[in-house]
Amino acid sequence: MQEKIIILDFGSQTTQLIGRRLRELNVYCEIVPYNKFPDNDPAVKGVILSGSPFSVYDDAAFKVPDIQAIRDKYPVLGICYGAQYISYISEGGKVESAGTREYGRANLSTFVADDLLFKGVRTNSQVWMSHGDTITAVPSDFDVIASTEEVAIAAYHQRGHKLWGVQFHPEVFHTEDGTQILKNFVVDACGCTQSWTSESFIDSTIAELKATLGNDKVVLGLSGGVDSSVCATLLHRAIGKNLTCIFVDHGMLRKDEFKKVMHDYSTLGLNVIGVDASEKFFRELKGVTDPEKKRKIIGKGFIDVFDAEAAKIKDVKWLAQGTIYPDRIESLSITGMTIKSHHNVGGLPKNMDLKICEPLKWLFKDEVRRVGRALNMPENLIKRHPFPGPGLAVRILGDITPEKVHVLQEADDIFIQGLHDSGLYDKVWQAGVILLPVQSVGVMGDERTYERAVALRAVTSVDAMTADWAHLPYEFLGKISNDIINKVKGVNRVTYDISSKPPATIEWE
């Protein structure tokens, strides 16, 4: 049984970072909404309460229905809002507006070095604050165990209990000893053994898949990306011939990608059905310019084609998806705001009547790659850059036509092949070309031109939750620009996107 830490999400933008830090400590964790605590799970070793955009005294503030039962049963660490919430609901605790938002670096001017939570923390260690409220009083059985120059109650501990709260964010990079603090909690307080590795994930997942699926038949929609490829390989190891994969070409893949991906999958021994449905998608996307409508049309179209192919397979009971954790974060937010739609999250038609299987749903992208390597998958599949489900449709700003897709495929192929040839591909997280909805004046030969402009986009990242633009060499960018303009008919201007995420996103749509 895989031991785990439960992270209760109150809507903080850094909740996923808590999970990442724990995974880096080889401790398995699951992030669940604040009101969805998994009762009676014997694998749970401890609980972390995340930050939140709300104040604890707001009418709309998130409150845990069974917080006392959780406190009585498990070690608990509250972070920022989580710490304020525990103090606020405990007799004698008090939380008030700080007057001005306390944001940025601070130093632990004092802390109780022999408290378990601060074992190994350095004197005057830097921490990261980000809150508009502050704890001004703690209950009588709580001890203040850390302060900064501006925050008197930077951390507390309930005497005789494994309950701590910190006003700062140990999960962010700027908190120098944040990983040590988290380790002290999950290892020393909770007793986690740091045994969660790629190999242990594979073993436990295959065993779980065998137990859950038995002799049932499963269909999986492949995309050519690392997520669905690793998902397919895991399922193949677990159920073999009972897995059928369907690869739908919606006409907006990269140049020759359908053929290349089908070849890659044959080397894995997978049973794959390839479907060219490009005419259907071009027809349904005609005249559509809104990015969200594009995603939904492609998502629905993909499911329609997939459903038709799956219906040809007798006695299928499960639909497998390569959904990973960032998909789930960006698709659904407990604060009610959707960042963007993903066609592999939700959207299953009721008449399909299949159960969902998502073996990778708790993994980040870099973890998926490590699992792929542990499965001895080909490196070209593992290292393949992320590619949006709607494909080039969300890299063409404006309406979609076969001609625009062709132009973009050619430009994109020059850019991606150039990254490979220059030894830059593996140094970039994700790259592609965007076809802009503008035309610009140029000169080719002795004639003026009025043709399309494209933007190159390349970013560095760890898990796509944040990203920085890749600082590619000027000489390389100059060569790619010349090659695209000289070889791709209809393009006379190339730009480079130097926006980071946030505030921008990796894709333009």
Side-chain angles (χ1 to χ4, degrees), residues 63-116:
K63 298 176 175 62
V64 183
D66 52 357
I67 186 63
Q68 191 56 52
I70 294 171
R71 288 172 59 174
D72 290 343
K73 189 173 182 179
Y74 305 101
V76 174
L77 172 64
I79 295 176
C80 197
Y81 175 95
Q84 295 167 2
Y85 176 66
I86 292 171
S87 180
Y88 183 73
I89 64 172
S90 303
E91 186 175 352
K94 192 173 183 180
V95 177
E96 298 178 284
S97 171
T100 58
R101 184 168 180 80
E102 295 167 341
Y103 181 82
R105 295 172 176 84
N107 294 91
L108 295 178
S109 54
T110 61
F111 64 89
V112 179
D114 60 357
D115 188 277
L116 181 147

Side-chain angles (χ1 to χ4, degrees), residues 151-359:
V151 180
I153 305 175
Y156 61 69
H157 176 211
Q158 184 180 18
R159 289 192 300 276
H161 297 269
K162 291 184 178 181
L163 185 148
W164 291 266
V166 292
Q167 279 271 125
F168 54 90
H169 287 270
E171 71 273 20
V172 303
F173 173 79
H174 303 293
T175 296
E176 294 174 333
D177 292 322
T179 299
Q180 180 64 44
I181 290 170
L182 291 172
K183 180 182 178 182
N184 292 340
F185 176 70
V186 298
V187 175
D188 296 339
C190 301
C192 293
T193 58
Q194 295 182 276
S195 59
W196 191 73
T197 62
S198 296
E199 290 75 15
S200 68
F201 171 81
I202 291 168
D203 291 342
S204 62
T205 300
I206 289 177
E208 183 180 342
L209 289 171
K210 286 181 176 179
T212 302
L213 302 176
N215 200 39
D216 290 350
K217 291 186 178 180
V218 180
V219 290
L220 166 67
L222 290 172
S223 68
V226 64
D227 301 337
S228 64
S229 301
V230 171
C231 180
T233 304
L234 275 172
L235 282 160
H236 183 67
R237 295 276 181 94
I239 63 173
K241 64 181 181 181
N242 281 338
L243 171 67
T244 300
C245 303
I246 300 171
F247 182 30
V248 177
D249 180 3
H250 49 37
M252 283 148 284
L253 299 174
R254 285 185 155 128
K255 182 179 180 180
D256 298 327
E257 186 170 16
F258 185 71
K259 181 173 63 176
K260 292 176 182 177
V261 170
M262 287 296 289
H263 176 266
D264 286 341
Y265 286 143
S266 69
T267 66
L268 292 173
L270 299 176
N271 175 28
V272 184
I273 299 170
V275 184
D276 181 358
S278 53
E279 288 187 11
K280 165 187 170 62
F281 284 90
F282 280 123
R283 183 173 63 253
E284 293 179 356
L285 285 167
K286 186 176 181 179
V288 177
T289 60
D290 180 77
E292 190 68 8
K293 288 183 179 178
K294 288 182 191 178
R295 289 180 177 273
K296 288 181 177 178
I297 288 170
I298 293 173
K300 181 181 182 302
F302 173 87
I303 290 173
D304 288 345
V305 174
F306 185 91
D307 190 17
E309 291 298 321
K312 300 174 185 177
I313 307 168
K314 293 182 178 180
D315 302 322
V316 173
K317 294 184 179 179
W318 293 84
L319 169 68
Q321 294 181 317
T323 311
I324 66 172
Y325 185 57
D327 293 339
R328 293 153 59 86
I329 293 174
E330 292 198 347
S331 297
L332 298 171
S333 167
I334 65 171
T335 58
M337 181 177 67
T338 299
I339 298 175
K340 64 183 178 182
S341 298
H342 288 259
H343 74 259
N344 62 333
V345 180
L348 185 66
K350 293 179 180 179
N351 62 357
M352 193 178 247
D353 196 28
L354 297 178
K355 292 179 282 188
I356 299 293
C357 175
E358 297 174 309

Side-chain angles (χ1 to χ4, degrees), residues 4 22 26 63 124 130 143 240 410 426 437 445:
K4 68 180 75 170
L22 298 196
N26 293 332
K63 298 176 175 62
N124 211 36
S130 180
D143 291 323
E410 295 297 323
D426 293 342

